[in-house]
């Protein structure tokens, strides 16, 4: 009974979050709204929400998600930030080719305090992004690997959305990648006063 109640509560909570998120994404991508209300958010809350939502996602692709966020309070729009981190974790989980990487396929989300802001990294050890494609992967509808896009039904909007959400937070989405060795996507979030 307790398990059913917890699952029903999760479904209800996620349904409400997705409803709010769809309106925010519409405003962000279609209406080009750049100003959203940012609120103080504890990184423990971010970790709990991300672990709960991304854990199943990572398992779907045979990846092992780890989430290590140093304690801090950041300014963020909670639904948009969760979408950004989930999308990056999803990309990281799909970055592995069968048989080419360790069976656990690590996806690491790491947060640490820096003088310029709170840095959040999402890293994998997958196939990486070719150097010539790295500067274009945040463009809408651009896909560096067409076969991967077909395999996972991607259309090249995920990283464009992540870059737009990062901008809402006064940040820039940065990507570092080495073909055959993996990719790290990161951004600096402002601290809450």
């Amino acid at each position: 009974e307790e398990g059913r109640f917890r699952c029903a509560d999760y479904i209800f909570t996620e349904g409400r979050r997705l409803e709010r998120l769809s309106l925010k994404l519409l405003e962000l991508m279609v209406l080009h709204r750049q100003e959203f209300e940012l609120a103080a958010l504890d990184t423990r809350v971010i970790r709990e929400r991300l672990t709960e939502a991304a854990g199943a996602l990572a398992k779907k692709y045979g990846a092992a998600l780890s989430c290590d966020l140093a304690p801090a309070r950041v300014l963020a729009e909670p639904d948009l930030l969760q979408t950004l981190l989930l999308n990056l974790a999803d990309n990281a989980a799909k970055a592995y080719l069968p048989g080419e990487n360790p069976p656990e396929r690590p996806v690491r989300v790491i947060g640490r305090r820096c003088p310029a802001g709170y840095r959040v990294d999402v890293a994998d050890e997958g196939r990486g992004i070719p150097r010539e494609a790295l500067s274009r992967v945040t463009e809408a509808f651009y896909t560096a690997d067409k076969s991967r896009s077909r395999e996972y039904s991607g259309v090249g909007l995920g990283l464009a959305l992540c870059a737009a959400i990062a901008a809402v937070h006064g940040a820039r989405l940065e990507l570092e990648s080495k073909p055959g060795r993996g990719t790290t996507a990161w951004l600096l979030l402002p601290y809450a006063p």
Side-chain angles (χ1 to χ4, degrees), residues 2-3 17 122 147:
E2 183 182 323
R17 185 186 71 79
V122 179
S147 64

Side-chain angles (χ1 to χ4, degrees), residues 17 21-30 33-34 36 79-88 91 136-142 155-169 171-173 187:
R17 185 186 71 79
L21 179 62
S22 63
L23 295 173
K24 290 172 188 170
L25 293 179
L26 178 68
E27 291 176 340
L28 178 67
M29 298 304 284
V30 177
R33 179 177 169 194
Q34 289 295 305
F36 288 83
D79 293 330
L80 290 177
L81 181 61
Q82 182 174 349
T83 297
L84 182 148
L85 295 175
L86 276 173
N87 199 350
L88 294 177
N91 281 356
R136 298 198 56 208
V137 292
T138 57
E139 294 175 15
F141 303 109
Y142 180 82
V155 294
L157 287 175
L159 288 176
L161 177 62
C162 287
I165 293 172
V168 164
H169 289 86
R172 180 179 156 97
L173 181 66
L187 70 152

Side-chain angles (χ1 to χ4, degrees), residues 107-121:
V107 173
R108 292 178 307 283
V109 181
I110 301 165
R112 62 184 182 271
R113 297 180 66 89
C114 298
Y118 189 83
R119 180 172 164 155
V120 181
D121 292 27

Side-chain angles (χ1 to χ4, degrees), residues 6 24 32 64 68 92 98 100 119 126 136-137 140 144 151 158 191:
R6 194 173 62 249
K24 290 172 188 170
H32 304 290
D68 182 17
E100 288 190 353
R119 180 172 164 155
R136 298 198 56 208
V137 292
E151 180 182 350
Y191 292 112

